[in-house]
Amino acid sequence: MSASPFRVERWTTASRASVVAVALLIAALALGPGYFSDNAIDKLTTLFVYVILATMWNALAGYAGLVSIGQQAFFGLGAYFAVRLADGGMPVYGALASAAALTGLVSWPLSYFMLRLRDGEFAIGMWVVAELFHLLVNLDPLIQGETGTSLVALNRYGAFARHAYTYWMALAGMSFLLLLLFALLRSRTGAGIQAIRDNEEAAASVGVEVARTKRLIFVLAALGAGLAGSLWLANAITFQPKTYFSPQWTAYMIFMALVGGLGTFEGALIGAVIFFAIEALFGAAGVWYLIGLGATALGFALFLPRGLWGWVEARYGLSLLPVGYRLRFKTHSSSPAQTPRLAAQPRRK
Amino acid sequence: MSHPTTMLLTARDIHKRFGALVVLEGVDFSVAHDEAVGIVGPNGAGKTTLLSILSGAQPSSSGAVAYRERDVTTLDSAARCRLGIVRTHQIPRPFGGMTVFENVFVAAANGRCKRAEAYDRVVDALALCGMSEVANRRAETLGLLDRKRLELARALGADPGLLLLDEIGGGLTDAEASELVEAIQELRRRRIAVVWIEHIVHILLQVVDRLVCMDAGRVIADGEPRAVMADPAVVEAYLGGDVHGAA
């Protein structure tokens, strides 16, 4: 078996270039507050939050097969914990970051109950959890029921400084989560995560520790949604439970992941940008904007079920941020490297 | 069963009930080192259930399973896989969204071995099962024969000491099945023990040292393959007579 005539390809020239490009883009964005307008900073912060939401839902549903329609549970909890911690005297940006960590911590024991549920039960069960968290948060007198409250601690910063700090925190949080997820999916655990999505029993039969692996991704997705919630709060300042625990957040996540390409790393990023663009262009159109969003989602589900990037990947075999493996033979004979049909298979299902 | 200490795997007095339905009624089953054992029997005899209990996919209602003299009764299938007990599924269960290579890598990556070692094992398993050509295909695009081969390749990726095969030849033509036979004979040369459930008896007889016949949740014959096939009880189980009331 020694000196095998093959190699396993994980990076390509295109993907190396993409990673460098993404790193440069993030570095350039870090200088943003120096030259962007206040409004642009605000808008970009929103985009970063969308990227976090899309990426985390994609990790959960697209990679691990855990379709949840209750991720607003963690979005709302992240915002709530930030309000709570700041009220308790924690420095406000520390409170925002700790709130995300705390949300991840809460999701850990929760996973022992929720991950017993399968498929549709899990999806709906998570919505029930979100409603439950919503009601529990309403019991806290600080929140004043649905009247809500504000993160008043942020007022000690001027508008510009506040926007800049929030922007940096969102950029750092987004970059951290993207990097973490990318590393996780490229690790051996990442292969196990996808195996569980495709067939849980078979994954267990070849040694994947199903429960532990699902828990890992569940907690990561909760932490991400919690961070998104606390960042949203930092931008919006007001906290009203029904806004933060609204299923619309999960609807947005699903929209972004589906349109961009469920189960592709690039797809969630593209989906977030598309959603952001649609909102910027048509958001003022009120009800028609929502109808347009719904129609777009429907169109994708019918005609491009693997999403934009899923289609590109299948059509051109292109992978810019690859988490998979390709076997290449060094000899010319019967080389799978030559067969363009490799990735070009339509996904059924 | 005469010398338990020399046995690779021993299952004692296995019972399995689903509510009122009794699927296994006190099955004793063992596999020696390097041995290949075939299991035959009519539909509903409990063959697949026994395999699931040996692999840890299902718990038994009572009874004990030991592997390499270690009690594994309470271990789940992932833990047993890491010890070396690996199964294939009657209806293939590929990881459809992943490539063939990645399917096998999932199994190979679960030990503590280095990545390069895991890659070697994947490539070796793919070559043995004739799947190198389709290594980069998404598994959901494979036809039945390739799905069956992938079941075998994936199990091999996990570096088994005991391979449990559930009708790996089912639904294949004779020519296709004999390809799998060659692969399995190669495994025997590598001293991997095999338990193989199969309806196509003449294929089985090319490989196994010993044959076990099950009927209605019991072992009704166990021994030299041709003797077992000639056993009147086995003939009756296959060709009818009374309905045994099994599921």
Side-chain angles (χ1 to χ4, degrees):
Chain A
M1 232 187 298
S2 59
S4 308
F6 71 89
R7 71 192 162 80
V8 176
E9 178 184 284
R10 307 213 64 199
W11 291 106
T12 60
T13 313
S15 64
R16 278 194 191 89
S18 316
V19 169
V20 171
V22 169
L24 288 175
L25 180 65
I26 288 172
L29 284 170
L31 304 173
Y35 47 88
F36 289 149
S37 72
D38 204 24
N39 184 46
I41 292 291
D42 212 37
K43 282 278 191 308
L44 280 171
T45 305
T46 305
L47 175 61
F48 300 157
V49 172
Y50 287 166
V51 168
I52 294 174
L53 289 175
T55 309
M56 289 296 115
W57 197 81
N58 187 41
L60 190 67
Y63 279 103
L66 292 164
V67 176
S68 160
I69 53 175
Q71 291 306 97
Q72 68 271 19
F74 305 119
F75 186 85
L77 217 52
Y80 165 71
F81 283 148
V83 171
R84 245 295 150 211
L85 291 172
D87 184 72
M90 190 182 264
V92 67
Y93 281 98
L96 290 166
S98 309
L102 211 52
T103 306
L105 203 65
V106 167
S107 74
W108 184 64
L110 182 70
S111 73
Y112 282 86
F113 301 97
M114 299 316 293
L115 292 178
R116 288 168 169 267
L117 303 176
R118 289 280 192 94
D119 307 326
E121 293 173 344
F122 173 77
I124 302 291
M126 283 306 300
W127 192 349
V128 174
V129 167
E131 292 300 312
L132 181 69
F133 283 180
H134 180 184
L135 294 172
L136 287 174
V137 163
N138 271 350
L139 291 178
D140 186 342
L142 174 67
I143 304 304
Q144 307 172 75
E146 289 300 348
T147 311
T149 182
S150 299
L151 195 61
V152 285
L154 277 173
N155 289 336
R156 58 182 288 259
Y157 298 95
F160 185 78
R162 179 166 64 83
H163 284 159
Y165 289 148
T166 305
Y167 171 93
W168 276 320
M169 190 179 157
L171 180 65
M174 176 190 79
S175 309
F176 170 73
L177 287 173
L178 285 176
L179 192 67
L180 188 67
L181 183 65
F182 192 56
L184 178 67
L185 290 174
R186 284 180 59 89
S187 75
R188 298 178 191 212
T189 308
I193 288 169
Q194 296 174 70
I196 292 170
R197 168 197 65 197
D198 289 341
N199 196 309
E200 201 170 306
E201 287 77 16
S205 81
V206 291
V208 177
E209 287 179 81
V210 172
R212 193 184 61 84
T213 308
K214 281 164 98 171
R215 181 157 301 121
L216 182 70
I217 206 89
F218 182 82
V219 169
L220 175 66
L223 182 129
L227 180 64
S230 87
L231 288 167
W232 196 265
L233 175 72
N235 233 14
I237 300 188
T238 57
F239 177 76
Q240 282 183 303
K242 70 163 178 274
T243 312
Y244 284 80
F245 286 102
S246 162
Q248 71 167 22
W249 296 108
T250 301
Y252 291 165
M253 296 181 205
I254 296 174
F255 179 89
M256 293 184 280
L258 283 186
V259 167
L262 194 62
T264 64
F265 199 86
E266 300 88 338
L269 300 176
I270 292 169
V273 172
I274 291 173
F275 178 67
F276 176 77
I278 293 177
E279 194 190 38
L281 292 173
F282 304 110
V287 149
W288 285 105
Y289 156 67
L290 292 175
I291 291 173
L293 270 189
T296 309
L298 207 60
F300 269 91
L302 287 173
F303 302 112
L304 223 53
R306 291 181 64 186
L308 220 49
W309 190 260
W311 176 78
V312 169
E313 203 177 54
R315 184 83 178 71
Y316 302 103
L318 190 61
S319 192
L320 295 182
L321 299 170
V323 298
Y325 303 75
R326 288 287 177 279
L327 184 64
R328 306 291 186 215
F329 285 88
K330 288 169 185 164
T331 49
H332 58 87
S333 67
S334 69
S335 163
Q338 310 282 316
T339 18
R341 66 190 167 128
L342 301 179
Q345 301 294 331
R347 187 193 177 97
R348 276 178 278 130
K349 184 170 148 185
Chain B
M1 271 168 281
S2 47
H3 304 288
T5 49
T6 67
M7 288 296 167
L8 180 65
L9 174 125
T10 319
R12 273 217 191 81
D13 199 25
I14 302 291
H15 285 78
K16 181 68 182 176
R17 290 176 290 271
F18 295 99
L21 182 70
V22 179
V23 180
L24 295 176
E25 263 191 291
V27 171
D28 288 313
F29 183 81
S30 61
V31 185
H33 291 274
D34 307 339
E35 193 182 26
V37 184
I39 303 181
V40 295
N43 290 327
K47 307 183 294 292
T48 295
T49 304
L50 176 63
L51 207 71
S52 294
I53 287 169
L54 298 182
S55 74
Q58 286 182 27
S60 57
S61 304
S62 66
V65 182
Y67 179 71
R68 293 191 196 279
E69 291 169 54
R70 174 178 168 180
D71 185 1
V72 298
T73 312
T74 56
L75 298 184
D76 65 10
S77 58
R80 289 192 205 185
C81 169
R82 265 174 263 122
L83 289 178
I85 307 176
V86 189
R87 74 173 293 181
T88 67
H89 299 90
Q90 184 177 359
I91 296 164
R93 296 181 173 181
F95 305 133
M98 307 174 78
T99 68
V100 166
F101 180 91
E102 288 162 1
N103 265 261
V104 183
F105 180 72
V106 169
N110 267 295
R112 310 233 177 285
C113 64
K114 294 202 172 71
R115 245 176 211 280
E117 252 174 74
Y119 289 158
D120 278 343
R121 207 151 67 221
V122 176
V123 169
D124 178 50
L126 291 177
L128 190 69
C129 299
M131 298 204 82
S132 303
E133 300 282 313
V134 292
N136 297 328
R137 281 253 306 260
R138 278 168 85 94
E140 66 191 355
T141 67
L142 300 175
L144 178 66
L145 174 61
D146 276 336
R147 283 172 188 238
K148 293 271 187 185
R149 286 167 163 168
L150 180 55
E151 278 291 321
L152 184 61
R154 200 171 59 187
L156 291 180
D159 197 15
L162 173 63
L163 189 61
L164 308 173
L165 304 171
D166 194 357
E167 294 198 30
I168 194 97
L172 302 182
T173 65
D174 273 3
E176 289 170 343
S178 54
E179 274 180 43
L180 284 172
V181 167
E182 278 173 39
I184 292 161
Q185 275 163 341
E186 168 60 23
L187 302 183
R188 298 218 52 205
R189 284 192 281 278
R190 296 181 185 187
R191 314 196 59 173
I192 297 172
V194 175
V195 173
W196 188 358
I197 295 177
E198 192 60 76
H199 277 301
I200 315 167
V201 178
H202 69 269
I203 297 180
L204 209 49
L205 297 185
Q206 294 171 35
V207 177
V208 300
D209 311 306
R210 181 158 67 89
L211 197 60
V212 168
C213 182
M214 290 180 68
D215 187 28
R218 292 171 186 280
V219 171
I220 58 169
D222 181 348
E224 199 280 317
R226 274 160 227 288
V228 167
M229 287 316 289
D231 188 312
V234 173
V235 173
E236 163 150 337
Y238 263 99
L239 299 181
D242 287 317
V243 175
H244 292 270

